[in-house]
Every structure is written in C-alpha cells, then in structure tokens.
Amino acid sequence: WSLTDFIQAQAQGRKVLELQGDIRAGWRMVDTASGRVLQQGRRLRDILRCLDADAGDCLLLAEVLQTLESDTLQQLWAEMPASQVWLQGIMDSRWSRTFEDGHVYRDSEAYIQQANMNGLRLVKYLKTPHKSAFGMDDQLSNESSFLVFAR
C-alpha cells in the first residue's frame, strides 16, 4: 500500500521527482526518495526545469492530479520536459460523484489523449488497489491506474 515503496520499485535507480501543490498556493518539486523539496515557486515552467531528462529523471504526478484544473493540466502537458512522466492514482471519472470532495477524477483515456496530443506516448500501464476506495462501491472499480509516458 505504500506509494513510496511502489514508486521506488518502479524507479529502478532513477531519480523520481513529484510535483506537489496547486495554482493558488504555489508548486514544489519533491524528491520522492528523500522527501527533500528541490524547487518551489508559482510558475510551472520554472518548477519543471529541475528535471534532468538526460540523467533519466522521472516526473511523478500523484495527488496533484485530482486538484489540477483542465487549463493547468493542459499547460503542464505543453511544458513537459523530455523526462518520463508517471501518473499515479487515476480513478474512474465516476468517483467524482461518489467522493464529493472537490477533487477532479478523470479516466485514463483522457490523460492518454492529452499526452498524445502533446507528443508523449504511453509506455506502461498498471492497475493498483486504491486503499481509500477499497470496498466502498462494488459498482465502481476500486483500483487506480499507473500510467507512464515518454517522448
């Protein structure tokens, strides 16, 4: 159930940086292994610069996915560096009606289409159990998707 353990297993020695925050409070880039904040600020473009694609850095979008407005998400795809992009915690869009917590849930297909329109291609797809949704609703999937994109 540990996201940190899962991410480190997927990383296979590469550095994984997670984008956290939001458009109102500002953004920060956090090293998932150490928890250290490497960059913070208000402009996504500036935050994304700390990724080193040549070194194999990976960008993780996890909790932040459920808070991104459509315009901000599109800006993020457009400004994405050549690093691998990992999306974790994607839930079926129908969960938006179930949780009613102000989060935005989009289907995997929506992310795949947006990534493709911005020159990224899906290279890995996994389903993992989602512990907060486990057993809540038998009609909806209680799994979350893990997607990996690359240029």
CSV table of all heavy atoms in Angstrom, one decimal, residues 65-108:
chain,number,residue,atom,x,y,z
A,65,LEU,N,-2.8,15.3,-9.3
A,65,LEU,CA,-3.7,15.1,-10.4
A,65,LEU,C,-5.2,15.4,-10.1
A,65,LEU,O,-5.9,15.9,-11.0
A,65,LEU,CB,-3.7,13.6,-10.8
A,65,LEU,CG,-2.5,13.1,-11.7
A,65,LEU,CD1,-2.6,11.6,-12.0
A,65,LEU,CD2,-2.5,13.9,-13.0
A,66,GLN,N,-5.6,15.1,-8.9
A,66,GLN,CA,-7.0,15.3,-8.6
A,66,GLN,C,-7.3,16.8,-8.3
A,66,GLN,O,-8.5,17.1,-8.0
A,66,GLN,CB,-7.4,14.4,-7.4
A,66,GLN,CG,-7.6,13.0,-7.7
A,66,GLN,CD,-6.3,12.2,-7.7
A,66,GLN,OE1,-5.4,12.5,-6.9
A,66,GLN,NE2,-6.2,11.2,-8.6
A,67,THR,N,-6.3,17.7,-8.3
A,67,THR,CA,-6.6,19.1,-8.0
A,67,THR,C,-6.4,20.0,-9.2
A,67,THR,O,-6.7,21.2,-9.1
A,67,THR,CB,-5.7,19.6,-6.8
A,67,THR,OG1,-4.3,19.5,-7.2
A,67,THR,CG2,-5.9,18.7,-5.6
A,68,LEU,N,-5.8,19.4,-10.3
A,68,LEU,CA,-5.5,20.2,-11.4
A,68,LEU,C,-6.7,20.6,-12.2
A,68,LEU,O,-7.5,19.7,-12.6
A,68,LEU,CB,-4.5,19.5,-12.4
A,68,LEU,CG,-3.1,19.3,-11.9
A,68,LEU,CD1,-2.3,18.5,-12.8
A,68,LEU,CD2,-2.4,20.7,-11.7
A,69,GLU,N,-6.9,21.9,-12.5
A,69,GLU,CA,-8.0,22.4,-13.4
A,69,GLU,C,-7.6,22.0,-14.8
A,69,GLU,O,-6.4,21.8,-15.1
A,69,GLU,CB,-8.1,23.9,-13.3
A,69,GLU,CG,-8.4,24.4,-11.9
A,69,GLU,CD,-9.9,24.2,-11.5
A,69,GLU,OE1,-10.7,24.0,-12.4
A,69,GLU,OE2,-10.1,24.2,-10.3
A,70,SER,N,-8.5,21.9,-15.7
A,70,SER,CA,-8.2,21.4,-17.1
A,70,SER,C,-7.2,22.3,-17.7
A,70,SER,O,-6.3,21.9,-18.4
A,70,SER,CB,-9.5,21.4,-17.9
A,70,SER,OG,-10.4,20.4,-17.4
A,71,ASP,N,-7.3,23.7,-17.6
A,71,ASP,CA,-6.4,24.6,-18.2
A,71,ASP,C,-5.0,24.4,-17.7
A,71,ASP,O,-4.0,24.4,-18.4
A,71,ASP,CB,-6.8,26.0,-18.0
A,71,ASP,CG,-8.1,26.4,-18.7
A,71,ASP,OD1,-8.5,25.6,-19.6
A,71,ASP,OD2,-8.6,27.5,-18.4
A,72,THR,N,-4.8,24.2,-16.4
A,72,THR,CA,-3.5,24.0,-15.8
A,72,THR,C,-2.9,22.6,-16.2
A,72,THR,O,-1.7,22.6,-16.5
A,72,THR,CB,-3.6,24.0,-14.2
A,72,THR,OG1,-4.2,25.2,-13.8
A,72,THR,CG2,-2.2,23.9,-13.6
A,73,LEU,N,-3.8,21.6,-16.3
A,73,LEU,CA,-3.3,20.3,-16.8
A,73,LEU,C,-2.8,20.4,-18.3
A,73,LEU,O,-1.7,19.9,-18.6
A,73,LEU,CB,-4.4,19.3,-16.7
A,73,LEU,CG,-4.0,17.9,-17.2
A,73,LEU,CD1,-2.9,17.3,-16.3
A,73,LEU,CD2,-5.3,17.0,-17.1
A,74,GLN,N,-3.5,21.2,-19.1
A,74,GLN,CA,-3.1,21.3,-20.5
A,74,GLN,C,-1.8,22.1,-20.5
A,74,GLN,O,-0.9,21.8,-21.3
A,74,GLN,CB,-4.2,22.1,-21.3
A,74,GLN,CG,-3.8,22.2,-22.8
A,74,GLN,CD,-3.4,21.0,-23.4
A,74,GLN,OE1,-4.0,19.9,-23.3
A,74,GLN,NE2,-2.3,21.0,-24.2
A,75,GLN,N,-1.6,23.1,-19.7
A,75,GLN,CA,-0.3,23.9,-19.7
A,75,GLN,C,0.8,23.0,-19.2
A,75,GLN,O,1.9,23.0,-19.8
A,75,GLN,CB,-0.5,25.0,-18.7
A,75,GLN,CG,0.8,25.8,-18.5
A,75,GLN,CD,0.8,26.7,-17.3
A,75,GLN,OE1,-0.2,26.9,-16.6
A,75,GLN,NE2,1.9,27.4,-17.1
A,76,LEU,N,0.5,22.1,-18.3
A,76,LEU,CA,1.6,21.2,-17.8
A,76,LEU,C,2.0,20.2,-18.9
A,76,LEU,O,3.2,20.0,-19.1
A,76,LEU,CB,1.0,20.4,-16.6
A,76,LEU,CG,1.9,19.4,-15.9
A,76,LEU,CD1,3.2,20.1,-15.4
A,76,LEU,CD2,1.2,18.7,-14.8
A,77,TRP,N,1.0,19.7,-19.7
A,77,TRP,CA,1.4,18.8,-20.8
A,77,TRP,C,2.2,19.5,-21.8
A,77,TRP,O,3.2,19.0,-22.3
A,77,TRP,CB,0.2,18.2,-21.5
A,77,TRP,CG,-0.5,17.1,-20.7
A,77,TRP,CD1,-1.8,17.1,-20.2
A,77,TRP,CD2,0.0,15.8,-20.4
A,77,TRP,NE1,-2.1,16.0,-19.6
A,77,TRP,CE2,-1.0,15.1,-19.7
A,77,TRP,CE3,1.2,15.2,-20.5
A,77,TRP,CZ2,-0.9,13.8,-19.2
A,77,TRP,CZ3,1.4,13.9,-20.1
A,77,TRP,CH2,0.4,13.3,-19.4
A,78,ALA,N,1.8,20.7,-22.1
A,78,ALA,CA,2.5,21.5,-23.1
A,78,ALA,C,4.0,21.9,-22.7
A,78,ALA,O,4.8,22.0,-23.6
A,78,ALA,CB,1.7,22.8,-23.5
A,79,GLU,N,4.2,22.1,-21.4
A,79,GLU,CA,5.6,22.5,-21.0
A,79,GLU,C,6.4,21.3,-20.4
A,79,GLU,O,7.5,21.5,-19.9
A,79,GLU,CB,5.4,23.6,-19.9
A,79,GLU,CG,4.7,24.8,-20.4
A,79,GLU,CD,4.5,25.9,-19.4
A,79,GLU,OE1,4.9,25.7,-18.2
A,79,GLU,OE2,4.0,27.0,-19.8
A,80,MET,N,5.9,20.1,-20.6
A,80,MET,CA,6.6,18.9,-20.0
A,80,MET,C,7.9,18.7,-20.7
A,80,MET,O,8.0,18.8,-21.9
A,80,MET,CB,5.7,17.7,-20.3
A,80,MET,CG,5.9,16.6,-19.4
A,80,MET,SD,5.4,16.8,-17.8
A,80,MET,CE,3.6,16.7,-17.9
A,81,PRO,N,9.0,18.5,-19.9
A,81,PRO,CA,10.3,18.3,-20.5
A,81,PRO,C,10.3,16.8,-21.0
A,81,PRO,O,9.3,16.1,-20.9
A,81,PRO,CB,11.2,18.4,-19.3
A,81,PRO,CG,10.3,18.1,-18.1
A,81,PRO,CD,9.0,18.6,-18.4
A,82,ALA,N,11.4,16.4,-21.6
A,82,ALA,CA,11.6,15.1,-22.2
A,82,ALA,C,11.7,14.0,-21.2
A,82,ALA,O,11.9,12.8,-21.6
A,82,ALA,CB,12.8,15.1,-23.1
A,83,SER,N,11.5,14.2,-19.9
A,83,SER,CA,11.6,13.2,-18.9
A,83,SER,C,10.4,12.3,-19.0
A,83,SER,O,9.3,12.6,-19.6
A,83,SER,CB,11.5,13.8,-17.5
A,83,SER,OG,12.6,14.7,-17.3
A,84,GLN,N,10.5,11.1,-18.5
A,84,GLN,CA,9.4,10.2,-18.4
A,84,GLN,C,8.4,10.8,-17.4
A,84,GLN,O,8.8,11.5,-16.4
A,84,GLN,CB,9.7,8.8,-17.8
A,84,GLN,CG,10.1,7.8,-18.9
A,84,GLN,CD,10.1,6.4,-18.4
A,84,GLN,OE1,9.9,6.1,-17.2
A,84,GLN,NE2,10.3,5.5,-19.3
A,85,VAL,N,7.1,10.7,-17.7
A,85,VAL,CA,6.0,11.2,-16.8
A,85,VAL,C,5.2,10.1,-16.3
A,85,VAL,O,4.7,9.3,-17.1
A,85,VAL,CB,5.1,12.2,-17.6
A,85,VAL,CG1,4.1,12.8,-16.7
A,85,VAL,CG2,6.0,13.3,-18.3
A,86,TRP,N,5.1,10.0,-15.0
A,86,TRP,CA,4.4,9.0,-14.3
A,86,TRP,C,3.1,9.6,-13.7
A,86,TRP,O,3.2,10.5,-12.9
A,86,TRP,CB,5.2,8.3,-13.2
A,86,TRP,CG,6.5,7.7,-13.6
A,86,TRP,CD1,7.0,7.6,-14.9
A,86,TRP,CD2,7.4,6.9,-12.8
A,86,TRP,NE1,8.2,6.9,-14.9
A,86,TRP,CE2,8.4,6.5,-13.6
A,86,TRP,CE3,7.4,6.6,-11.5
A,86,TRP,CZ2,9.5,5.7,-13.1
A,86,TRP,CZ3,8.4,5.9,-11.0
A,86,TRP,CH2,9.4,5.4,-11.8
A,87,LEU,N,2.0,9.0,-14.0
A,87,LEU,CA,0.7,9.4,-13.4
A,87,LEU,C,0.3,8.2,-12.5
A,87,LEU,O,0.1,7.1,-12.9
A,87,LEU,CB,-0.4,9.6,-14.4
A,87,LEU,CG,0.0,10.6,-15.6
A,87,LEU,CD1,-1.3,10.8,-16.4
A,87,LEU,CD2,0.5,11.9,-15.0
A,88,GLN,N,0.1,8.5,-11.2
A,88,GLN,CA,-0.4,7.5,-10.2
A,88,GLN,C,-1.6,8.0,-9.5
A,88,GLN,O,-1.8,9.2,-9.2
A,88,GLN,CB,0.7,7.3,-9.2
A,88,GLN,CG,0.3,6.4,-8.0
A,88,GLN,CD,-0.2,5.1,-8.4
A,88,GLN,OE1,0.3,4.5,-9.3
A,88,GLN,NE2,-1.2,4.6,-7.7
A,89,GLY,N,-2.6,7.1,-9.3
A,89,GLY,CA,-3.8,7.4,-8.6
A,89,GLY,C,-4.9,7.8,-9.4
A,89,GLY,O,-5.8,8.5,-9.0
A,90,ILE,N,-4.9,7.4,-10.7
A,90,ILE,CA,-6.0,7.8,-11.6
A,90,ILE,C,-7.2,6.9,-11.3
A,90,ILE,O,-7.1,5.7,-11.3
A,90,ILE,CB,-5.6,7.6,-13.1
A,90,ILE,CG1,-4.4,8.5,-13.4
A,90,ILE,CG2,-6.8,7.9,-14.0
A,90,ILE,CD1,-3.8,8.2,-14.7
A,91,MET,N,-8.3,7.5,-11.0
A,91,MET,CA,-9.5,6.8,-10.6
A,91,MET,C,-10.6,7.0,-11.8
A,91,MET,O,-10.5,8.0,-12.5
A,91,MET,CB,-10.1,7.3,-9.3
A,91,MET,CG,-9.2,7.2,-8.1
A,91,MET,SD,-9.1,5.5,-7.6
A,91,MET,CE,-10.7,5.2,-6.8
A,92,ASP,N,-11.5,6.1,-11.9
A,92,ASP,CA,-12.6,6.2,-12.8
A,92,ASP,C,-13.3,7.6,-12.6
A,92,ASP,O,-13.5,8.0,-11.4
A,92,ASP,CB,-13.6,5.1,-12.5
A,92,ASP,CG,-14.7,5.0,-13.4
A,92,ASP,OD1,-15.4,6.0,-13.5
A,92,ASP,OD2,-15.0,3.9,-13.9
A,93,SER,N,-13.7,8.3,-13.6
A,93,SER,CA,-14.3,9.6,-13.5
A,93,SER,C,-15.6,9.6,-12.7
A,93,SER,O,-16.0,10.6,-12.2
A,93,SER,CB,-14.5,10.2,-14.9
A,93,SER,OG,-15.4,9.5,-15.6
A,94,ARG,N,-16.2,8.4,-12.6
A,94,ARG,CA,-17.5,8.3,-11.9
A,94,ARG,C,-17.3,8.5,-10.4
A,94,ARG,O,-18.2,8.8,-9.6
A,94,ARG,CB,-18.2,7.0,-12.1
A,94,ARG,CG,-18.6,6.8,-13.6
A,94,ARG,CD,-19.2,5.5,-13.8
A,94,ARG,NE,-18.1,4.5,-13.8
A,94,ARG,CZ,-18.3,3.2,-13.8
A,94,ARG,NH1,-19.5,2.7,-13.9
A,94,ARG,NH2,-17.2,2.4,-13.7
A,95,TRP,N,-16.0,8.4,-9.9
A,95,TRP,CA,-15.7,8.7,-8.5
A,95,TRP,C,-16.0,10.1,-8.1
A,95,TRP,O,-16.2,10.5,-6.9
A,95,TRP,CB,-14.3,8.3,-8.1
A,95,TRP,CG,-14.2,6.8,-7.9
A,95,TRP,CD1,-13.6,5.9,-8.8
A,95,TRP,CD2,-14.6,6.0,-6.8
A,95,TRP,NE1,-13.7,4.6,-8.2
A,95,TRP,CE2,-14.3,4.7,-7.0
A,95,TRP,CE3,-15.3,6.3,-5.6
A,95,TRP,CZ2,-14.6,3.7,-6.2
A,95,TRP,CZ3,-15.6,5.3,-4.7
A,95,TRP,CH2,-15.3,4.0,-5.0
A,96,SER,N,-16.0,11.0,-9.1
A,96,SER,CA,-16.3,12.4,-8.8
A,96,SER,C,-17.7,12.6,-8.1
A,96,SER,O,-17.8,13.4,-7.3
A,96,SER,CB,-16.3,13.2,-10.1
A,96,SER,OG,-15.0,13.3,-10.6
A,97,ARG,N,-18.6,11.7,-8.5
A,97,ARG,CA,-19.9,11.8,-7.9
A,97,ARG,C,-20.0,11.1,-6.6
A,97,ARG,O,-20.8,11.4,-5.7
A,97,ARG,CB,-21.0,11.1,-8.8
A,97,ARG,CG,-21.1,11.9,-10.2
A,97,ARG,CD,-22.3,11.3,-11.0
A,97,ARG,NE,-22.1,9.9,-11.3
A,97,ARG,CZ,-21.6,9.4,-12.4
A,97,ARG,NH1,-21.2,10.2,-13.3
A,97,ARG,NH2,-21.6,8.1,-12.6
A,98,THR,N,-19.0,10.2,-6.3
A,98,THR,CA,-19.0,9.4,-5.1
A,98,THR,C,-18.3,10.1,-3.9
A,98,THR,O,-18.9,10.2,-2.8
A,98,THR,CB,-18.4,8.0,-5.3
A,98,THR,OG1,-19.1,7.4,-6.3
A,98,THR,CG2,-18.4,7.2,-4.0
A,99,PHE,N,-17.2,10.7,-4.2
A,99,PHE,CA,-16.4,11.3,-3.1
A,99,PHE,C,-16.9,12.7,-2.7
A,99,PHE,O,-16.9,13.1,-1.6
A,99,PHE,CB,-14.9,11.4,-3.5
A,99,PHE,CG,-14.2,10.1,-3.3
A,99,PHE,CD1,-13.3,9.6,-4.3
A,99,PHE,CD2,-14.2,9.4,-2.1
A,99,PHE,CE1,-12.6,8.4,-4.1
A,99,PHE,CE2,-13.5,8.2,-1.9
A,99,PHE,CZ,-12.7,7.7,-2.9
A,100,GLU,N,-17.3,13.5,-3.7
A,100,GLU,CA,-17.8,14.8,-3.5
A,100,GLU,C,-16.9,15.6,-2.6
A,100,GLU,O,-17.3,16.3,-1.6
A,100,GLU,CB,-19.2,14.8,-2.9
A,100,GLU,CG,-20.3,14.2,-3.8
A,100,GLU,CD,-21.7,14.2,-3.2
A,100,GLU,OE1,-21.9,14.8,-2.2
A,100,GLU,OE2,-22.5,13.4,-3.7
A,101,ASP,N,-15.6,15.6,-2.9
A,101,ASP,CA,-14.6,16.3,-2.0
A,101,ASP,C,-13.9,17.4,-2.8
A,101,ASP,O,-12.9,17.9,-2.3
A,101,ASP,CB,-13.6,15.3,-1.5
A,101,ASP,CG,-12.9,14.5,-2.6
A,101,ASP,OD1,-13.2,14.7,-3.8
A,101,ASP,OD2,-12.0,13.7,-2.3
A,102,GLY,N,-14.4,17.8,-3.9
A,102,GLY,CA,-13.8,18.9,-4.7
A,102,GLY,C,-12.6,18.4,-5.6
A,102,GLY,O,-12.0,19.2,-6.3
A,103,HIS,N,-12.4,17.1,-5.5
A,103,HIS,CA,-11.3,16.6,-6.4
A,103,HIS,C,-11.9,16.3,-7.8
A,103,HIS,O,-13.1,16.1,-8.0
A,103,HIS,CB,-10.7,15.3,-5.8
A,103,HIS,CG,-9.8,15.5,-4.7
A,103,HIS,ND1,-10.3,15.8,-3.4
A,103,HIS,CD2,-8.5,15.5,-4.6
A,103,HIS,CE1,-9.3,16.0,-2.6
A,103,HIS,NE2,-8.1,15.8,-3.3
A,104,VAL,N,-11.0,16.3,-8.8
A,104,VAL,CA,-11.4,16.0,-10.2
A,104,VAL,C,-10.8,14.6,-10.5
A,104,VAL,O,-9.6,14.4,-10.4
A,104,VAL,CB,-10.7,17.1,-11.1
A,104,VAL,CG1,-11.1,16.8,-12.5
A,104,VAL,CG2,-11.2,18.5,-10.7
A,105,TYR,N,-11.7,13.7,-10.9
A,105,TYR,CA,-11.3,12.4,-11.3
A,105,TYR,C,-11.5,12.3,-12.8
A,105,TYR,O,-12.6,12.6,-13.3
A,105,TYR,CB,-12.1,11.3,-10.6
A,105,TYR,CG,-11.8,11.4,-9.1
A,105,TYR,CD1,-12.6,12.1,-8.2
A,105,TYR,CD2,-10.7,10.8,-8.6
A,105,TYR,CE1,-12.4,12.2,-6.9
A,105,TYR,CE2,-10.4,10.9,-7.2
A,105,TYR,CZ,-11.2,11.6,-6.4
A,105,TYR,OH,-11.0,11.6,-5.0
A,106,ARG,N,-10.5,11.9,-13.5
A,106,ARG,CA,-10.6,11.7,-15.0
A,106,ARG,C,-10.2,10.3,-15.3
A,106,ARG,O,-9.4,9.7,-14.7
A,106,ARG,CB,-9.6,12.7,-15.7
A,106,ARG,CG,-9.8,14.1,-15.4
A,106,ARG,CD,-8.7,15.0,-16.1
A,106,ARG,NE,-8.8,16.4,-15.8
A,106,ARG,CZ,-8.3,17.0,-14.8
A,106,ARG,NH1,-7.5,16.4,-13.9
A,106,ARG,NH2,-8.4,18.3,-14.6
A,107,ASP,N,-10.8,9.8,-16.4
A,107,ASP,CA,-10.5,8.4,-16.8
A,107,ASP,C,-9.1,8.4,-17.4
A,107,ASP,O,-8.6,9.4,-17.9
A,107,ASP,CB,-11.5,8.0,-17.9
A,107,ASP,CG,-12.9,7.7,-17.3
A,107,ASP,OD1,-13.0,7.3,-16.2
A,107,ASP,OD2,-13.9,8.0,-18.0
A,108,SER,N,-8.5,7.3,-17.4
A,108,SER,CA,-7.1,7.1,-18.0
A,108,SER,C,-7.1,7.6,-19.4
A,108,SER,O,-6.1,8.2,-19.9
A,108,SER,CB,-6.7,5.6,-18.0
A,108,SER,OG,-6.5,5.2,-16.6
